[in-house]
Amino acid sequence: MTDKTSLDLDSVNREIGHSAEELVRWALSLDKKAICTTNFRPFEAVILHMVTQVQPDIPIVWMDNGYNTEATYRFVEEVRKRLDLNLITYLPKRTRAHREAVDGPTPALDDPRHQAFTEEVKLEPFSRALRETNPGVWFTALRASDTAVRASMQPVSINQDGLIKVAPLLHWSSKDLYEYLQAHDLPNEFDYVDPTKGEDNRECGLHLQH
């Protein structure tokens, strides 16, 4: 656990909160085990490139919910090979085929079963990932423009798990991300869907719990 008083988060956010590369270097200099989570949505190659430039073997944690598009799975392999990612994949305890045979297709957002679906395919695998990797620093590619909740976040915070949560790209626009991809000749993929969110501006609950 990290004591909030041991880090002057206000100063960090004020001084380097808008400098993604500086935030990454600062967080990786804290002598704490770090992970970077990814869902391989559009522009994810930015955060993956940024963190691996400083620490090539940083664990990249992916919760594969089993519902990704074929294009997303191909994108995963392309980025993994290009950046030589230390990729650790966490899967739900049931396969998609097993779940759908028993419970049917993905429940709609207004279906009371949707929360249990989200818990099974995303939240439980993520909680398991945190237990098993036991990090002190967590890099995430969330952005303020994603949802109202994220718009109120700071680039660096201490979450309820005691993790130093670092969002270097929080204030980046799509144009910023595109230009970074172009500058570093990185791939991108827009054929992506998250069945736990259903809508682009909806939280699945992961960043509310953690």
Side-chain angles (χ1 to χ4, degrees):
M1 300 287 284
T2 297
D3 183 353
K4 292 185 180 183
T5 62
S6 66
L7 289 172
D8 187 348
L9 295 186
D10 289 340
S11 293
V12 172
N13 284 311
R14 183 174 61 253
E15 293 169 11
I16 61 173
H18 284 74
S19 177
E21 284 94 342
E22 281 190 74
L23 271 181
V24 170
R25 288 193 295 270
W26 168 81
L28 290 175
S29 74
L30 296 175
D31 196 30
K32 296 178 181 291
K33 181 178 180 181
I35 64 168
C36 178
T37 55
T38 182
N39 50 16
F40 290 100
R41 68 172 178 166
F43 300 113
E44 285 289 285
V46 174
I47 187 76
L48 298 174
H49 180 268
M50 200 172 284
V51 297
T52 55
Q53 290 304 291
V54 182
Q55 184 182 330
D57 66 346
I58 184 172
I60 305 298
V61 175
W62 175 38
M63 278 65 65
D64 175 8
N65 56 43
Y67 289 78
N68 288 291
T69 67
E70 290 185 7
T72 294
Y73 285 116
R74 289 192 294 267
F75 178 59
V76 170
E77 289 306 302
E78 182 179 4
V79 177
R80 181 183 64 81
K81 293 174 182 176
R82 177 81 68 88
L83 299 179
D84 193 23
L85 297 179
N86 178 16
L87 183 64
I88 305 173
T89 304
Y90 280 85
L91 301 165
K93 292 183 177 180
R94 291 191 296 177
T95 64
R96 175 178 178 175
H98 184 173
R99 201 204 71 78
E100 291 191 342
V102 176
D103 297 332
T106 305
L109 291 181
D110 59 356
D111 188 319
R113 298 175 301 156
H114 193 274
Q115 180 54 42
F117 168 77
T118 300
E119 177 67 31
E120 178 175 357
V121 304
K122 180 182 280 187
L123 302 184
E124 186 282 327
F126 182 68
S127 295
R128 186 165 14 112
L130 287 185
R131 289 195 306 272
E132 294 182 4
T133 59
N134 192 29
V137 172
W138 167 26
F139 288 101
T140 171
L142 51 76
R143 294 162 56 204
S145 59
D146 290 338
T147 69
V149 170
R150 300 176 188 192
S152 67
M153 292 180 175
Q154 292 291 333
V156 183
S157 59
I158 306 290
N159 74 359
Q160 61 193 41
D161 303 305
L163 272 169
I164 301 172
K165 186 174 179 178
V166 186
L169 309 178
L170 187 68
H171 299 300
W172 281 38
S173 66
S174 294
K175 181 174 182 288
D176 295 328
L177 296 167
Y178 172 78
E179 290 177 348
Y180 187 98
L181 293 179
Q182 293 295 107
H184 297 280
D185 190 28
L186 294 168
N188 202 15
E189 177 56 61
F190 287 98
D191 186 1
Y192 170 82
V193 62
D194 183 345
T196 67
K197 293 181 67 173
E199 301 168 353
D200 288 343
N201 62 350
R202 179 179 178 274
E203 289 285 349
C204 66
L206 190 151
H207 288 285
L208 299 177
Q209 290 187 13
H210 302 279

